Amino acid sequence: MRGARSTPLSIDRDDSDARWAASGAMWLTGRADGPPLLVSPSLGAQLGEVAAGLGLADLDVMALLGERAAITGMFRGGRTSVGGRCRLMPTADDGWVAVSLARPEDHESVPAWLGIEPGRDLWADVEAAVAARPAAEVLEQGVLLGLPIGGLGECASTEPVVSAIRLGSAPPGQEHAAPLVVDLSSLWAGPLCAHLLGSAGARVVKVESLHRPDGARRGPRRFYDLLHSGHRSVALDFSSGEGRRQLLELLMVADVVIEGSRPRALEQMGIDAAQIVADGGPRVWASITAYGRRDRDRDRIGFGDDAAVAGGLVAWEGGEPRFCADAVADPLTGIAAAAAIRTALAGEGRWLLDIALARVAAWMAGRAIDGVAIDGAATEDGTGWTGEVATPQARPIPAIRAPGIGEQTGQVMAEIRLRRRGA
């Protein structure tokens, strides 16, 4: 399932491996009782190419892949994700699937998905049932039930990392202007994108639902502060007409909108991203989803670990796949999205950017070099990495903590109304 690229890669393997080993991400890749593993040698080069467009020369973007694990103290688990809520499992036809059972509704879907009533050991029962079925059946039924599930390498690396749709005219952004970014996203990929734009000079307003705030607020405070320090917080009641009206006000004055919702969720609130952009709203609307906005995948669920597997971004050891770092499709997508937004702002036009975790992972994977698949064992048979492997590190706690939910709602909305009157 590790297909060769049509064009051989020209990459300095030693340099890419050294960057991977120094980043802390290698420490998070492999079995808990085994050595840290290498991944495809193209990842470092691909990530470096993307990060060059961020304008943040002092930031080690590869180190961002291990930052959450550094804060939480999480460790590698081989076919169990670093966070522990996703598993890589073999199927009856020699395929592999990754499924995340992170939410109550995921657990409730298991009987309908596999036709079993799990006992006390949920994962053991799930793995046994998956091993007795072909990959296509496991994947199709899981997707139908709304499970976060990915088949290994199902997303082709030939698909565009970012699908950009031009929806109107606008002059290039001013080089020294500070764009207004409205961040509707949650968890990791979208907030990291907003954080990187803020670090490059953008003004960021985080917008949350009063009733369903960002789930990352329940996680480590230090990690949340790293991604949201210096941003302003707005909380609205999306279930009310007034709350939706205020949201639309914000969207229409933004230079950039970042959101991580399935298209159907926004459409149910009367939010049509393409129409808002075309009507003179934000210059760039970045839609971050698991598998993209197109066709049947537009409402498919996916998280950083299972989407990375769908993109083929795994390490290999003894012919078996292992999870790559910590939910790696999330930070990679945040970095790629920030670079794409900066590129779009620097040019002309109004844009809807369709950015999918699985597509980013597939592009970063580089599943082969010169058509030869790479086994990632760190020290076996003299071909792996024998140098030092750094543990994950997190940046210092910001001097300014992230604001509480809705802390600047009144202030921001008053500014928006003044701005619209002066337009």
Side-chain angles (χ1 to χ4, degrees):
M1 303 186 80
R2 291 176 284 176
R5 295 173 67 99
S6 58
T7 304
L9 298 171
S10 176
I11 295 169
D12 184 334
R13 169 90 202 215
D14 291 338
D15 179 64
S16 186
D17 288 352
R19 283 182 286 166
W20 177 248
S23 70
M26 182 172 173
W27 184 259
L28 299 171
T29 305
R31 292 177 290 115
D33 59 352
L37 299 181
L38 300 170
V39 294
S40 161
S42 71
L43 189 146
Q46 302 282 60
L47 184 55
E49 180 182 328
V50 169
L54 292 175
L56 298 170
D58 296 333
L59 180 66
D60 180 358
V61 292
M62 189 169 279
L64 297 177
L65 308 187
E67 194 164 51
R68 185 174 72 168
I71 291 170
T72 60
M74 295 185 292
F75 193 54
R76 60 182 180 269
R79 292 199 284 117
T80 298
S81 67
V82 169
R85 296 184 175 183
C86 188
R87 300 288 176 97
L88 246 171
M89 297 175 285
T91 61
D93 53 357
D94 297 322
W96 291 86
V97 297
V99 63
S100 297
L101 301 179
R103 306 166 301 169
E105 57 263 41
D106 299 330
H107 290 250
E108 294 165 2
S109 296
V110 168
W113 174 38
L114 298 170
I116 63 170
E117 287 292 342
R120 296 181 65 180
D121 193 336
L122 170 69
W123 280 114
D125 294 337
V126 167
E127 184 153 353
V130 167
R133 293 164 170 77
E137 177 186 318
V138 172
L139 184 62
E140 182 180 6
Q141 185 67 7
V143 171
L144 184 65
L145 291 168
L147 285 170
I149 186 171
L152 179 58
E154 65 167 287
C155 185
S157 61
T158 54
E159 294 187 36
V161 184
V162 177
S163 177
I165 304 168
R166 182 164 177 162
L167 295 171
S169 299
Q174 297 178 5
E175 183 177 355
H176 301 294
L180 174 62
V181 175
V182 171
D183 177 22
L184 302 176
S185 67
S186 60
L187 300 179
W188 198 354
L192 176 59
C193 172
H195 165 71
L196 294 172
L197 294 174
S199 298
R203 297 166 294 143
V204 180
V205 174
K206 182 176 182 66
V207 181
E208 298 170 86
S209 164
L210 273 173
H211 306 297
R212 293 188 64 184
D214 186 349
R217 286 186 179 275
R218 299 191 298 270
R221 175 64 189 264
R222 181 180 174 188
F223 184 63
Y224 190 86
D225 284 343
L226 279 173
L227 296 187
H228 298 90
S229 173
H231 300 177
R232 295 195 288 175
S233 173
V234 167
L236 302 173
D237 182 0
F238 295 159
S239 66
S240 71
E242 175 62 14
R244 291 193 293 272
R245 185 190 65 75
Q246 290 177 309
L247 174 60
L248 187 58
E249 277 189 290
L250 276 166
L251 299 179
M252 291 304 295
V253 300
D255 297 298
V256 175
V257 170
I258 302 167
E259 50 89 4
S261 301
R262 289 175 290 166
R264 182 175 61 187
L266 290 179
E267 289 164 1
Q268 289 173 342
M269 292 200 306
I271 301 296
D272 184 330
Q275 192 63 54
I276 289 172
V277 174
D279 286 346
R283 291 217 28 229
V284 182
W285 184 297
S287 173
I288 299 175
T289 60
Y291 293 90
R293 297 175 61 89
R294 297 171 297 178
D295 306 324
R296 67 186 184 93
D297 286 335
R298 70 194 306 262
D299 289 313
R300 186 171 167 186
I301 295 287
F303 298 129
D305 287 305
D306 49 89
V309 170
L313 184 49
V314 294
W316 290 88
E317 182 181 40
E320 288 192 351
R322 311 287 186 226
F323 281 110
C324 173
D326 173 25
V328 71
D330 272 320
L332 290 178
T333 300
I335 295 164
I341 290 169
R342 282 180 58 86
T343 298
L345 283 175
E348 298 180 351
R350 297 183 181 277
W351 298 90
L352 173 59
L353 304 182
D354 179 359
I355 308 162
L357 273 69
R359 289 204 308 259
V360 172
W363 187 73
M364 294 284 184
R367 300 189 190 102
I369 281 191
D370 295 336
V372 180
I374 299 298
D375 191 304
T379 56
E380 293 178 0
D381 58 66
T383 62
W385 179 251
T386 56
E388 293 185 4
V389 179
T391 58
Q393 301 294 319
R395 290 167 291 166
I397 298 174
I400 301 174
R401 308 296 292 271
I405 182 168
E407 197 169 305
Q408 291 88 20
T409 301
Q411 175 189 355
V412 169
M413 295 311 303
E415 290 176 6
I416 296 305
R417 293 186 185 102
L418 284 173
R419 179 170 171 173
R420 294 198 71 183
R421 288 194 197 107

